[in-house]
Amino acid sequence: MSAFFEVQGLSKSFGGIHAVKNLSLTVDEGKILGIAGPNGSGKSTFFNIVTKVPFGADKGTALLQGRNILTMKPHEIARNGVARTFQRENVFASLSAIDNVLVTTENARTARGFTDNVKAAEEALELADFPATLHNTPAGALPVFLRKLVMIASALALKPKVLLLDEPASSLTPHEIARIQSLILKLKGAGMTILLIEHVLPLLTAVSDRLAVLNQGELIANGLPDEVIANPLVVEAYLGKKQ
Ligand SMILES: Nc1ncnc2c1ncn2[C@@H]1O[C@H](COP(=O)(O)OP(=O)(O)O)[C@@H](O)[C@H]1O
Ligand SMILES: [Mg+2]
């Protein structure tokens, strides 16, 4: 039986740079796979090529419940249950928080049978712990933490089976990071399967069921978080080789 979500032999090059090289990973249903690695190790490129936003892979497959999603168009991948957030808060600054999420629900409606877009957007914002009193505030006027929640809510509005979060804790205070941690665990509790790229290692190790580490586009470790962060190859990738 195939895994719930599985990538096999994914590769992407930019000129001479192998941003992602022959990457294979599996994630079980309802689990969190943490993804770590130094800057430039290919983490965001992995999310880009799995969602085809903004570009696809050179080689490889990504199977959701046994179906290769990489033969689909980007919007079909999203409708079929793989949604992502971005490392930078990718919101429409002049649109209100709820209108940002409505952009997603409008686009998803036909495929997923939404009858009431506004209700779907409100539910997504609530699931993302976004304050109800700020639904009509322009996203550009919100602090970074709330802009991140709007972006997460937009992904949640697709009712994803697999949620890809790219550094949700970056630029946040310790208190806000704790709130992101609770939110991620709440989403897991709701049955979502999550891939989490994160530099904040305490958050990553606290929530991840398994942890994968990339270095120069290649998977160098994959296993239980405590074992992986003690792996000499991982220590070397982060801190440099001992002289
Ligand atoms: N659109 C692009 N064009 C050219 N090079 C890119 C592009 N996106 C990423 N890269 C390169 O691919 C490598 C991996 O980048 P990225 O996936 O963003 O790393 P990470 O998210 O782990 O910091 C880096 O060397 C980066 O410069
Ligand atoms: Mg990145």
PDB file of all heavy atoms in Angstrom, residues 141-161:
ATOM      1  N   ALA A 141      -2.755  46.421   6.703  1.00  0.00           N
ATOM      2  CA  ALA A 141      -2.702  47.185   7.952  1.00  0.00           C
ATOM      3  C   ALA A 141      -2.518  46.277   9.170  1.00  0.00           C
ATOM      4  O   ALA A 141      -2.410  46.760  10.296  1.00  0.00           O
ATOM      5  CB  ALA A 141      -3.992  48.007   8.105  1.00  0.00           C
ATOM      6  N   LEU A 142      -2.499  44.977   8.946  1.00  0.00           N
ATOM      7  CA  LEU A 142      -2.373  44.034  10.070  1.00  0.00           C
ATOM      8  C   LEU A 142      -0.909  43.786  10.411  1.00  0.00           C
ATOM      9  O   LEU A 142      -0.042  43.826   9.535  1.00  0.00           O
ATOM     10  CB  LEU A 142      -3.013  42.691   9.684  1.00  0.00           C
ATOM     11  CG  LEU A 142      -4.516  42.682   9.452  1.00  0.00           C
ATOM     12  CD1 LEU A 142      -4.934  41.347   8.802  1.00  0.00           C
ATOM     13  CD2 LEU A 142      -5.263  42.895  10.767  1.00  0.00           C
ATOM     14  N   PRO A 143      -0.618  43.506  11.696  1.00  0.00           N
ATOM     15  CA  PRO A 143       0.751  43.119  12.041  1.00  0.00           C
ATOM     16  C   PRO A 143       1.117  41.774  11.413  1.00  0.00           C
ATOM     17  O   PRO A 143       0.229  41.004  11.007  1.00  0.00           O
ATOM     18  CB  PRO A 143       0.734  43.022  13.570  1.00  0.00           C
ATOM     19  CG  PRO A 143      -0.695  42.952  13.958  1.00  0.00           C
ATOM     20  CD  PRO A 143      -1.514  43.542  12.849  1.00  0.00           C
ATOM     21  N   VAL A 144       2.415  41.505  11.354  1.00  0.00           N
ATOM     22  CA  VAL A 144       2.911  40.331  10.626  1.00  0.00           C
ATOM     23  C   VAL A 144       2.244  39.033  11.097  1.00  0.00           C
ATOM     24  O   VAL A 144       1.876  38.170  10.282  1.00  0.00           O
ATOM     25  CB  VAL A 144       4.460  40.243  10.702  1.00  0.00           C
ATOM     26  CG1 VAL A 144       4.969  40.176  12.121  1.00  0.00           C
ATOM     27  CG2 VAL A 144       4.989  39.068   9.906  1.00  0.00           C
ATOM     28  N   PHE A 145       2.051  38.882  12.396  1.00  0.00           N
ATOM     29  CA  PHE A 145       1.458  37.643  12.919  1.00  0.00           C
ATOM     30  C   PHE A 145       0.068  37.413  12.316  1.00  0.00           C
ATOM     31  O   PHE A 145      -0.265  36.312  11.852  1.00  0.00           O
ATOM     32  CB  PHE A 145       1.386  37.708  14.448  1.00  0.00           C
ATOM     33  CG  PHE A 145       0.680  36.545  15.081  1.00  0.00           C
ATOM     34  CD1 PHE A 145       1.184  35.254  14.949  1.00  0.00           C
ATOM     35  CD2 PHE A 145      -0.491  36.730  15.810  1.00  0.00           C
ATOM     36  CE1 PHE A 145       0.535  34.170  15.530  1.00  0.00           C
ATOM     37  CE2 PHE A 145      -1.144  35.656  16.393  1.00  0.00           C
ATOM     38  CZ  PHE A 145      -0.630  34.370  16.252  1.00  0.00           C
ATOM     39  N   LEU A 146      -0.734  38.491  12.292  1.00  0.00           N
ATOM     40  CA  LEU A 146      -2.099  38.333  11.768  1.00  0.00           C
ATOM     41  C   LEU A 146      -2.106  38.173  10.253  1.00  0.00           C
ATOM     42  O   LEU A 146      -2.951  37.465   9.703  1.00  0.00           O
ATOM     43  CB  LEU A 146      -2.967  39.514  12.219  1.00  0.00           C
ATOM     44  CG  LEU A 146      -3.202  39.578  13.737  1.00  0.00           C
ATOM     45  CD1 LEU A 146      -3.987  40.830  14.114  1.00  0.00           C
ATOM     46  CD2 LEU A 146      -3.943  38.333  14.235  1.00  0.00           C
ATOM     47  N   ARG A 147      -1.142  38.789   9.577  1.00  0.00           N
ATOM     48  CA  ARG A 147      -1.038  38.557   8.121  1.00  0.00           C
ATOM     49  C   ARG A 147      -0.719  37.088   7.853  1.00  0.00           C
ATOM     50  O   ARG A 147      -1.230  36.489   6.903  1.00  0.00           O
ATOM     51  CB  ARG A 147       0.043  39.453   7.492  1.00  0.00           C
ATOM     52  CG  ARG A 147      -0.339  40.913   7.431  1.00  0.00           C
ATOM     53  CD  ARG A 147       0.410  41.645   6.319  1.00  0.00           C
ATOM     54  NE  ARG A 147       1.856  41.552   6.402  1.00  0.00           N
ATOM     55  CZ  ARG A 147       2.636  42.328   7.158  1.00  0.00           C
ATOM     56  NH1 ARG A 147       2.081  43.271   7.914  1.00  0.00           N
ATOM     57  NH2 ARG A 147       3.940  42.174   7.169  1.00  0.00           N
ATOM     58  N   LYS A 148       0.105  36.500   8.696  1.00  0.00           N
ATOM     59  CA  LYS A 148       0.411  35.066   8.535  1.00  0.00           C
ATOM     60  C   LYS A 148      -0.857  34.234   8.737  1.00  0.00           C
ATOM     61  O   LYS A 148      -1.082  33.257   8.024  1.00  0.00           O
ATOM     62  CB  LYS A 148       1.481  34.623   9.535  1.00  0.00           C
ATOM     63  CG  LYS A 148       2.888  34.997   9.107  1.00  0.00           C
ATOM     64  CD  LYS A 148       3.891  34.538  10.160  1.00  0.00           C
ATOM     65  CE  LYS A 148       5.279  35.083   9.879  1.00  0.00           C
ATOM     66  NZ  LYS A 148       5.994  34.301   8.853  1.00  0.00           N
ATOM     67  N   LEU A 149      -1.680  34.629   9.719  1.00  0.00           N
ATOM     68  CA  LEU A 149      -2.913  33.865   9.951  1.00  0.00           C
ATOM     69  C   LEU A 149      -3.864  33.982   8.756  1.00  0.00           C
ATOM     70  O   LEU A 149      -4.555  33.023   8.417  1.00  0.00           O
ATOM     71  CB  LEU A 149      -3.603  34.320  11.239  1.00  0.00           C
ATOM     72  CG  LEU A 149      -2.840  34.090  12.553  1.00  0.00           C
ATOM     73  CD1 LEU A 149      -3.747  34.389  13.751  1.00  0.00           C
ATOM     74  CD2 LEU A 149      -2.275  32.678  12.678  1.00  0.00           C
ATOM     75  N   VAL A 150      -3.899  35.160   8.127  1.00  0.00           N
ATOM     76  CA  VAL A 150      -4.739  35.324   6.935  1.00  0.00           C
ATOM     77  C   VAL A 150      -4.248  34.381   5.829  1.00  0.00           C
ATOM     78  O   VAL A 150      -5.043  33.712   5.153  1.00  0.00           O
ATOM     79  CB  VAL A 150      -4.718  36.795   6.435  1.00  0.00           C
ATOM     80  CG1 VAL A 150      -5.362  36.916   5.060  1.00  0.00           C
ATOM     81  CG2 VAL A 150      -5.419  37.706   7.435  1.00  0.00           C
ATOM     82  N   MET A 151      -2.922  34.310   5.674  1.00  0.00           N
ATOM     83  CA  MET A 151      -2.366  33.426   4.639  1.00  0.00           C
ATOM     84  C   MET A 151      -2.677  31.962   4.962  1.00  0.00           C
ATOM     85  O   MET A 151      -3.031  31.180   4.074  1.00  0.00           O
ATOM     86  CB  MET A 151      -0.856  33.661   4.524  1.00  0.00           C
ATOM     87  CG  MET A 151      -0.195  32.823   3.468  1.00  0.00           C
ATOM     88  SD  MET A 151       1.519  33.267   3.174  1.00  0.00           S
ATOM     89  CE  MET A 151       2.247  33.042   4.782  1.00  0.00           C
ATOM     90  N   ILE A 152      -2.562  31.601   6.233  1.00  0.00           N
ATOM     91  CA  ILE A 152      -2.873  30.220   6.631  1.00  0.00           C
ATOM     92  C   ILE A 152      -4.372  29.950   6.398  1.00  0.00           C
ATOM     93  O   ILE A 152      -4.751  28.893   5.877  1.00  0.00           O
ATOM     94  CB  ILE A 152      -2.461  29.965   8.101  1.00  0.00           C
ATOM     95  CG1 ILE A 152      -0.927  29.993   8.223  1.00  0.00           C
ATOM     96  CG2 ILE A 152      -3.023  28.636   8.620  1.00  0.00           C
ATOM     97  CD1 ILE A 152      -0.395  29.985   9.643  1.00  0.00           C
ATOM     98  N   ALA A 153      -5.215  30.927   6.751  1.00  0.00           N
ATOM     99  CA  ALA A 153      -6.660  30.753   6.548  1.00  0.00           C
ATOM    100  C   ALA A 153      -6.980  30.563   5.063  1.00  0.00           C
ATOM    101  O   ALA A 153      -7.851  29.761   4.703  1.00  0.00           O
ATOM    102  CB  ALA A 153      -7.424  31.950   7.112  1.00  0.00           C
ATOM    103  N   SER A 154      -6.279  31.293   4.195  1.00  0.00           N
ATOM    104  CA  SER A 154      -6.516  31.142   2.748  1.00  0.00           C
ATOM    105  C   SER A 154      -6.203  29.719   2.299  1.00  0.00           C
ATOM    106  O   SER A 154      -6.920  29.146   1.476  1.00  0.00           O
ATOM    107  CB  SER A 154      -5.662  32.132   1.955  1.00  0.00           C
ATOM    108  OG  SER A 154      -6.060  33.445   2.264  1.00  0.00           O
ATOM    109  N   ALA A 155      -5.139  29.147   2.857  1.00  0.00           N
ATOM    110  CA  ALA A 155      -4.817  27.747   2.524  1.00  0.00           C
ATOM    111  C   ALA A 155      -5.872  26.811   3.115  1.00  0.00           C
ATOM    112  O   ALA A 155      -6.323  25.868   2.456  1.00  0.00           O
ATOM    113  CB  ALA A 155      -3.428  27.386   3.048  1.00  0.00           C
ATOM    114  N   LEU A 156      -6.312  27.100   4.338  1.00  0.00           N
ATOM    115  CA  LEU A 156      -7.297  26.230   5.003  1.00  0.00           C
ATOM    116  C   LEU A 156      -8.647  26.265   4.292  1.00  0.00           C
ATOM    117  O   LEU A 156      -9.411  25.301   4.349  1.00  0.00           O
ATOM    118  CB  LEU A 156      -7.479  26.638   6.465  1.00  0.00           C
ATOM    119  CG  LEU A 156      -6.263  26.404   7.367  1.00  0.00           C
ATOM    120  CD1 LEU A 156      -6.537  26.949   8.762  1.00  0.00           C
ATOM    121  CD2 LEU A 156      -5.924  24.915   7.434  1.00  0.00           C
ATOM    122  N   ALA A 157      -8.933  27.393   3.620  1.00  0.00           N
ATOM    123  CA  ALA A 157     -10.215  27.520   2.919  1.00  0.00           C
ATOM    124  C   ALA A 157     -10.343  26.490   1.804  1.00  0.00           C
ATOM    125  O   ALA A 157     -11.438  26.196   1.346  1.00  0.00           O
ATOM    126  CB  ALA A 157     -10.363  28.929   2.359  1.00  0.00           C
ATOM    127  N   LEU A 158      -9.215  25.936   1.371  1.00  0.00           N
ATOM    128  CA  LEU A 158      -9.247  24.877   0.351  1.00  0.00           C
ATOM    129  C   LEU A 158      -9.583  23.521   0.971  1.00  0.00           C
ATOM    130  O   LEU A 158      -9.634  22.513   0.270  1.00  0.00           O
ATOM    131  CB  LEU A 158      -7.892  24.791  -0.353  1.00  0.00           C
ATOM    132  CG  LEU A 158      -7.580  25.966  -1.287  1.00  0.00           C
ATOM    133  CD1 LEU A 158      -6.085  26.076  -1.526  1.00  0.00           C
ATOM    134  CD2 LEU A 158      -8.320  25.790  -2.607  1.00  0.00           C
ATOM    135  N   LYS A 159      -9.758  23.494   2.283  1.00  0.00           N
ATOM    136  CA  LYS A 159     -10.007  22.250   3.023  1.00  0.00           C
ATOM    137  C   LYS A 159      -8.979  21.180   2.626  1.00  0.00           C
ATOM    138  O   LYS A 159      -9.343  20.091   2.135  1.00  0.00           O
ATOM    139  CB  LYS A 159     -11.429  21.740   2.798  1.00  0.00           C
ATOM    140  CG  LYS A 159     -12.491  22.740   3.264  1.00  0.00           C
ATOM    141  CD  LYS A 159     -13.841  22.079   3.370  1.00  0.00           C
ATOM    142  CE  LYS A 159     -14.963  23.046   3.694  1.00  0.00           C
ATOM    143  NZ  LYS A 159     -14.831  23.709   4.989  1.00  0.00           N
ATOM    144  N   PRO A 160      -7.691  21.515   2.823  1.00  0.00           N
ATOM    145  CA  PRO A 160      -6.645  20.605   2.336  1.00  0.00           C
ATOM    146  C   PRO A 160      -6.560  19.308   3.126  1.00  0.00           C
ATOM    147  O   PRO A 160      -6.869  19.274   4.317  1.00  0.00           O
ATOM    148  CB  PRO A 160      -5.364  21.420   2.523  1.00  0.00           C
ATOM    149  CG  PRO A 160      -5.672  22.367   3.628  1.00  0.00           C
ATOM    150  CD  PRO A 160      -7.137  22.687   3.502  1.00  0.00           C
ATOM    151  N   LYS A 161      -6.133  18.267   2.420  1.00  0.00           N
ATOM    152  CA  LYS A 161      -5.763  17.024   3.101  1.00  0.00           C
ATOM    153  C   LYS A 161      -4.330  17.150   3.588  1.00  0.00           C
ATOM    154  O   LYS A 161      -3.963  16.626   4.630  1.00  0.00           O
ATOM    155  CB  LYS A 161      -5.866  15.848   2.134  1.00  0.00           C
ATOM    156  CG  LYS A 161      -7.264  15.588   1.635  1.00  0.00           C
ATOM    157  CD  LYS A 161      -7.238  14.491   0.583  1.00  0.00           C
ATOM    158  CE  LYS A 161      -8.623  14.268  -0.002  1.00  0.00           C
ATOM    159  NZ  LYS A 161      -8.566  13.495  -1.243  1.00  0.00           N
TER     160      LYS A 161
END
